[in-house]
């Protein structure tokens, strides 16, 4: 079973920020939070990951709460091409990679 | 750098046949992992190879096997195919220098296998 809980679906207007929440209340101290997305059943695309601190890269920002029990992925200016299923994962090792149902984000014009 | 590549992209087989899927990792990556993704079970870990040795294994029957070559390329084999083996098979690579949660895995486009 996945160790995370995400809303099944979300909508976002094109050009606006998309904020995708993830609950991981049972996360342990050495587990990282990863975000991937999958478009049209292609291979999952890596977005960002973090341990404790907030992280930002060219694709997105990751905000992790101080108690690490939840996080938010932020796509600052969503485009139609960001429509995908977004997966939040907590993991230690490679064999610990378990995807839940994810959040289906639909970006609307 | 080129990403992870997988061949073939699509495959149709019949029950009882065997199939071999191929994966070329990102240049410099030494760890290759295989996953099975189905609508019902989601993404499931099959096994991981590092330096031509299987380092981790998921909970799949022995019909699923793999190997890794000296250039880090990997193959996965499924023998005696069953209808339930129809799935998207994903390969992912990582540096493999540290077996820790901080090491990012990058996925290939997958091979979609249909067993009739």
């Amino acid at each position: 079973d996945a160790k995370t809980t995400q809303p099944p679906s979300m909508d976002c207007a094109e050009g606006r920020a998309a904020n995708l929440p993830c609950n991981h209340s049972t996360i342990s101290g050495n587990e990282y939070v990863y975000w991937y997305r999958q478009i049209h059943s292609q291979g999952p695309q890596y977005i960002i990951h973090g341990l404790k601190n907030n992280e930002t890269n060219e694709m997105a920002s990751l905000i992790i709460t101080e108690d690490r029990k939840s996080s938010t992925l932020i796509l600052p200016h969503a485009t139609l091409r960001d429509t995908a299923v977004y997966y939040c994962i907590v993991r230690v090792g490679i064999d610990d990679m378990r995807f839940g149902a994810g959040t289906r984000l639909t970006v609307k014009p | 750098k080129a990403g992870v590549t997988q061949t073939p992209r699509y495959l149709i087989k019949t029950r009882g046949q065997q199939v071999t899927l191929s994966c070329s990792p990102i240049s410099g990556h030494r760890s290759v992992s295989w996953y099975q993704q189905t609508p019902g079970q989601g993404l499931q870990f099959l096994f991981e190879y590092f330096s031509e040795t299987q380092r981790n294994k998921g909970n799949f029957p022995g019909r699923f096997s793999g190997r890794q070559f000296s250039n880090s390329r990997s193959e996965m084999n499924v023998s005696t195919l069953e209808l339930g083996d129809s799935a998207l098979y994903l390969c992912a690579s990582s540096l493999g220098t540290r077996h820790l949660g901080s090491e990012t895995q990058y996925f290939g486009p997958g091979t979609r296998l249909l067993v009739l």
Side-chain angles (χ1 to χ4, degrees), chain A residues 34 36 38 91-92 94 97, chain B residues 33 37 100-101 103 105 108:
Chain A
Y34 276 79
Y36 286 82
Q38 194 167 24
R91 54 163 280 219
V92 174
I94 286 173
M97 182 83 79
Chain B
S33 298
Q37 188 176 34
L100 296 174
E103 187 166 292
Q105 280 194 306

Side-chain angles (χ1 to χ4, degrees), chain A residues 22 73 91:
Chain A
C22 179
L73 176 74
R91 54 163 280 219

